[in-house]
Amino acid sequence: MSERDSSKDKNGGKKKSGRGWALQVFLLAVVLSALLSFFSSTALEGTGYIVAALVLAVFIGLGIVFDMIGVAVTAADPKPFHSMAAHKEKGAREAIRLLQNANQVSSVCNDVVGDICGIVSGSTAAVIVTALQRDFNTTNVMISIGVTALISGLTIGGKALFKKVAINECTAVVYRVARIMHALHLYR
């Protein structure tokens, strides 16, 4: 195989440079992190515990859902989607594209979105702990430990629960995501 041939992937398309992909992921992470941190800071500014808990739940939920999507994309078989595409079903082409780019999709879902949600959850937890300590006039470290342990348990337990769904129902998960992408005209 010549040097020229090695720059092509197995489908005859041009291979993506590892450095180019890393730069894209870096830029995506910076932009998403800034947006989600801004949303979190804005939502938490001068709010009570209920709003803070809801913001926290949103970020934990986002992390769990995107982790599930990332796992499902790596586990799914493209054959059913090729059949659906032949029958012109909505979302089938998007599903095929997701599976063709499973490595990148998984990286974005699991690493970028998942890690950012974890970081923003941590900063949201810090706001909650600070408010609890202020309102109860204490600097007791047990409040911090309790909140951190609860958030960790919810995040890790939720990911474990939905990872099983992602593996066992990978075709359905990918198809649901693809249908949403089709409706939003994404990834065509």
Side-chain angles (χ1 to χ4, degrees):
M1 181 183 280
S2 72
E3 185 177 319
R4 187 173 174 200
D5 292 334
S6 66
S7 67
K8 301 232 179 199
D9 67 13
K10 66 181 179 185
N11 297 325
K14 207 171 182 185
K15 274 189 180 177
K16 292 183 181 177
S17 160
R19 286 179 288 195
W21 171 243
L23 179 61
Q24 286 177 336
V25 169
F26 169 78
L27 293 173
L28 178 64
V30 168
V31 170
L32 274 177
S33 183
L35 287 172
L36 292 176
S37 292
F38 174 76
F39 168 73
S40 174
S41 298
T42 304
L44 293 174
E45 200 170 294
T47 62
Y49 296 118
I50 293 173
V51 173
L54 287 173
V55 169
L56 181 60
V58 165
F59 285 111
I60 291 172
L62 273 174
I64 292 169
V65 167
F66 274 86
D67 185 73
M68 180 178 66
I69 293 167
V71 171
V73 167
T74 58
D77 182 7
K79 288 176 188 169
F81 298 111
H82 287 291
S83 176
M84 290 178 197
H87 292 96
K88 308 241 186 267
E89 290 189 38
K90 293 177 181 177
R93 286 188 353 214
E94 289 82 0
I96 292 168
R97 296 263 329 259
L98 285 170
L99 298 181
Q100 287 172 338
N101 297 295
N103 185 39
Q104 290 89 358
V105 173
S106 176
S107 181
V108 168
C109 289
N110 297 100
D111 301 331
V112 176
V113 177
D115 291 352
I116 290 170
C117 286
I119 292 165
V120 176
S121 293
S123 63
T124 303
V127 169
I128 292 170
V129 166
T130 302
L132 285 169
Q133 289 176 335
R134 180 192 63 232
D135 291 350
F136 291 106
N137 199 20
T138 184
T139 57
N140 189 343
V141 72
M142 294 308 289
I143 291 173
S144 176
I145 293 170
V147 170
T148 302
L150 180 63
I151 292 168
S152 296
L154 289 171
T155 302
I156 294 166
K159 285 184 177 187
L161 177 67
F162 285 95
K163 200 164 293 220
K164 185 173 181 167
V165 171
I167 291 169
N168 294 335
E169 302 294 328
C170 56
T171 302
V173 171
V174 170
Y175 190 54
R176 283 189 192 109
V177 171
R179 289 289 303 248
I180 292 168
M181 293 172 67
H182 180 83
L184 298 174
H185 303 286
L186 298 174
Y187 214 41
R188 287 190 176 180

